[in-house]
Amino acid sequence: MELTIYNIKGEATDKKVTLDDSIFGIEPNEHVIWLDVKQYLANQRQGTHKTKERNEITGSTRKLIRQKGSGGARRGDIKSPLLVGGGRAFGPKPRDYGFKVNKKTKALARKSALSLKAKNNAIVVVEDFEFETPRTKSMVELANKLQLADKKLLFVLPSQNKNVYLSARNLGKVNIITASDINTYKIMDCTNLVITESSVAVIDNLFNAQGGTK
């Protein structure tokens, strides 16, 4: 797939970039996309929720009422889950929600997500750029010139750029990521991908290294 490269003024240049069909042109596999997104979201969970069970509650172990004849439910001590202030029966405990997804599956998921964006014409390639100072206005102007102001955008940069990151930090619909950290969730969570010219080569190297399993 060949795309025109735009400058930061939103104008088409004479330059073009060829996207690797083995990365941006495969048949998307929706199941592996779902699996990779599920793992990403699971890894975001802290899993620190906890309630006290009856053996962790402070209170007397004296039996409150006799076993039978009261006309009500049987109950033991004051720490019973049946009573207000008692322990929680089968309550949540700290746990790790993460699970394993094979490297090849994750690589296929990212390729599928990128191919899906390419298939929907949701990828824009721009010349490498940076801002002299962090200014939210600069990022807003760039989105306007690319005619993507009303879209949820993911800017893919070749490396960390503090000024660009700070310029986008206050914008709810703009996210910044480096090409080496690109993941399925971020790709699927945006409407349009804005990839800088140098980032295309980084993405190619990322997937072509070690047979695309990195």
Side-chain angles (χ1 to χ4, degrees), residues 2-25:
E2 195 173 68
L3 295 179
T4 299
I5 298 177
Y6 291 83
N7 57 31
I8 59 173
K9 296 180 181 179
E11 302 168 342
T13 66
D14 296 333
K15 297 184 292 183
K16 293 185 181 295
V17 64
T18 301
L19 302 182
D20 191 340
D21 287 338
S22 65
I23 301 173
F24 294 88

Side-chain angles (χ1 to χ4, degrees), residues 50-134:
K50 175 71 172 69
T51 58
K52 289 186 177 182
E53 298 186 353
R54 64 186 304 167
N55 66 322
E56 299 172 303
I57 297 292
T58 300
S60 173
T61 57
R62 179 179 65 88
K63 189 171 176 64
L64 297 178
I65 59 175
R66 60 183 181 174
Q67 182 77 351
K68 295 184 178 181
S70 68
R74 294 172 292 182
R75 64 182 61 161
D77 55 46
I78 200 169
K79 298 186 289 183
S80 169
L82 300 174
L83 301 176
V84 175
R88 172 77 180 271
F90 309 112
K93 295 181 179 180
R95 54 170 291 193
D96 180 11
Y97 285 91
F99 60 93
K100 181 182 177 182
V101 174
N102 292 333
K103 287 184 178 181
K104 289 185 178 180
T105 302
K106 291 176 71 69
L108 178 59
R110 285 179 289 175
K111 289 180 181 180
S112 295
L114 290 170
S115 297
L116 202 58
K117 291 299 181 185
K119 187 177 180 180
N120 295 331
N121 296 319
I123 296 179
V124 177
V125 180
V126 298
E127 292 179 333
D128 294 339
F129 69 93
E130 57 181 64
F131 301 137
E132 293 182 0
T133 56

Side-chain angles (χ1 to χ4, degrees), residues 184-201:
T184 306
Y185 176 81
K186 293 292 186 180
I187 297 170
M188 298 304 298
D189 191 44
C190 71
T191 308
N192 288 79
L193 272 175
V194 182
I195 305 176
T196 60
E197 187 177 357
S198 297
S199 296
V200 175

